Amino acid sequence: MYVRAGPTTDLNKNTEWFTYPGVWTTYILIVFFSWLIVLSLFGSSPGTAWTIVHLSHFFVTYHFFHWKKGTPFADDQGIYNGLTWWEQIDNGKQLTRNRKFLTVVPVVLYLIASHTTDYQNPMLFFNTPAVFVLVVAKFPNMHKVRIFGINADH
């Protein structure tokens, strides 16, 4: 009935936390409670609140998963300095369960935000490019690719 958690095979301290049990649930709960906070603080409609959460999720995850490189730990001898967090997770293996989960989350947020705003502009105009950029950045073919040399090591 219960799954026995074995020791992680990921030696990268920057990404090993994502292999722990309960991380996916915590991630979803953070997104949901963010929606509740936006809904209550701004007094906006549920659709607008989902759009704000979706766009906030886009900016935060794009910056920390796909833009920043390296690790905050010095004991890795700089071997991850040229890699983003997305390129580091699961030791660079593609199409793992963690990567699939992190690809599905922005798509589901997009669908929720778009549906609750009745697919109306301008919300659809903001939500669509955000999900497009995040999903394309997660494609296996984009691994270690820097478009137009942006964010490339020189």
Side-chain angles (χ1 to χ4, degrees), residues 62-136:
Y62 186 80
H63 178 75
F64 287 107
F65 292 2
H66 302 287
W67 189 263
K68 285 182 62 87
K69 293 181 184 176
T71 67
F73 308 105
D75 60 349
D76 63 16
Q77 303 294 315
I79 59 176
Y80 301 111
N81 284 352
L83 300 176
T84 63
W85 188 85
W86 181 258
E87 295 163 345
Q88 295 174 35
I89 60 171
D90 298 326
N91 294 320
K93 289 184 215 162
Q94 300 299 312
L95 302 174
T96 60
R97 291 178 64 209
N98 287 332
R99 288 180 185 262
K100 290 176 185 176
F101 170 76
L102 290 171
T103 302
V104 166
V105 168
V107 172
V108 170
L109 277 175
Y110 169 74
L111 292 173
I112 292 171
S114 297
H115 182 72
T116 55
T117 56
D118 295 324
Y119 303 94
Q120 298 294 318
N121 282 329
M123 299 306 180
L124 191 64
F125 176 76
F126 294 127
N127 288 324
T128 303
V131 74
F132 180 78
V133 168
L134 273 185
V135 171
V136 168

